[in-house]
Amino acid sequence: MTDPLRPPHPVLPPSARRPGAAAVLDEHASAHDTDLESYAWLAGVQPYRRPGPKLPWTGWTLLPRARAGRLKRRRLDPDEAVALDALIGSGLLTDDGRLSETGRPLAETLATIDARLRVDATAEGRQHGMEILMVRTTAVVLTTSPPPTPPDDVQDLSLLVLDTVEVEWVPAAIASWTGTAPAWTFAVSPTTIDRALFEQRVDGRPVPLPPQADDHLAAVWAEPWCLWGLGSADSEQALCVLRAGARGSYQVIATPGAATVELRPLPSYTLWHALLQIVQAVVG
């Protein structure tokens, strides 16, 4: 099994390697008479790495069916036939449609899921997804490319890449995939924003600042946005988060049918604790 969350050699910016180097200050905090070290560089040195095979969702649902014996092309629909070729090409099935030594334990895991979590994200108008399937102490993680996706990689959003991690690593995998990193997060005003305006901004469309926006909300508005949500059918706990670049994360409170949304500052530690709680509630 691979562990995408433990790079062999941590990469730090040059200023962080030199003993005694002056800390780079957060410009927004400094503009408000508060000297805080900038954490903006951290997001760039903890990218989500996806080492496993890449298949359409049909391929991952087809694989467990091979536990019953050889998959025969003439019994598959067109999408399944394409997925069959991808499974063979990835080495999870042999050329005659049987499970390989690599594919067998994965097929067994996918057929015996104890609990699952899903993360849905929107960034720059594109949809991204992360499916986490847990069996005892192991989690199978299937992801599209993480948000945001460069325009040249848009076709990658139709494919899911496999990784396997220990269940204890699931919160870290979610944080890495969503681009969550330590940041200084300031309360904004107004906290309540027109829902239509908010959704247009999430889609990446140029929209004006909300009326009476303070400097903190203006700084959030200027950052790249990613809206992501975590939930499970196995638990009532859920989380909806706006990641606003160097300005950190905000919990998004949106009552069904309401014309507004509320943004609440979500400090890094609080968000991390929420991830731990939600995963624990699902695992039991």
Side-chain angles (χ1 to χ4, degrees), residues 144-160:
T144 66
S145 56
T149 294
D152 292 343
D153 295 332
V154 170
Q155 70 277 6
D156 198 34
L157 293 175
S158 64
L159 302 174
L160 297 170

Side-chain angles (χ1 to χ4, degrees), residues 234-258:
D234 304 318
S235 172
E236 293 183 357
Q237 289 185 298
L239 190 65
C240 184
V241 178
L242 170 66
R243 172 170 60 77
R247 298 278 53 86
S249 298
Y250 291 80
Q251 185 176 8
V252 179
I253 308 298
T255 304

Side-chain angles (χ1 to χ4, degrees), residues 12-168:
L12 299 178
S15 62
R17 293 195 188 106
R18 295 196 299 270
V24 176
L25 297 181
D26 184 289
E27 293 183 1
H28 181 73
S30 296
H32 290 80
D33 301 321
T34 305
D35 289 338
L36 299 171
E37 183 177 357
S38 174
Y39 294 143
W41 59 273
L42 280 170
V45 299
Q46 57 176 25
Y48 187 75
R49 301 187 302 160
R50 307 182 301 155
K54 183 185 301 184
L55 298 171
W57 176 251
T58 304
W60 297 118
T61 59
L62 186 63
L63 184 63
R65 288 165 51 183
R67 296 163 61 243
R70 176 189 172 195
L71 293 177
K72 298 180 180 180
R73 188 179 300 274
R74 67 176 182 274
R75 296 182 179 177
L76 303 177
D77 64 34
D79 288 342
E80 291 173 337
V82 172
L84 175 66
D85 291 334
L87 286 166
I88 293 172
S90 66
L92 297 175
L93 294 180
T94 60
D95 290 342
D96 63 352
R98 301 180 189 276
L99 287 170
S100 67
E101 291 300 315
T102 303
R104 185 171 302 281
L106 180 57
E108 293 292 340
T109 299
L110 289 172
T112 55
I113 301 301
D114 295 327
R116 64 176 65 209
L117 281 167
R118 178 163 180 85
V119 184
D120 291 292
T122 302
E124 298 178 357
R126 301 188 184 96
Q127 305 299 312
H128 306 255
M130 181 183 211
E131 195 81 25
I132 304 165
L133 313 172
M134 291 170 279
V135 182
R136 295 181 293 278
T137 60
T138 300
V140 175
V141 183
L142 302 173
T143 63
T144 66
S145 56
T149 294
D152 292 343
D153 295 332
V154 170
Q155 70 277 6
D156 198 34
L157 293 175
S158 64
L159 302 174
L160 297 170
V161 177
L162 166 82
D163 193 17
T164 54
V165 299
E166 296 178 359
V167 167
E168 288 82 0

Side-chain angles (χ1 to χ4, degrees), residues 11 44 80 92 131 153 195 199 223 273:
V11 178
E80 291 173 337
L92 297 175
E131 195 81 25
D153 295 332
R195 186 171 191 146
E199 291 175 348
E223 290 286 335
H273 187 65

Side-chain angles (χ1 to χ4, degrees), residues 257-283:
T260 59
V261 299
E262 181 184 353
L263 296 184
R264 296 179 183 174
L266 197 54
S268 303
Y269 175 80
T270 305
L271 176 52
W272 176 248
H273 187 65
L275 289 177
L276 293 177
Q277 284 187 315
I278 292 173
V279 173
Q280 183 59 43
V282 171
V283 173

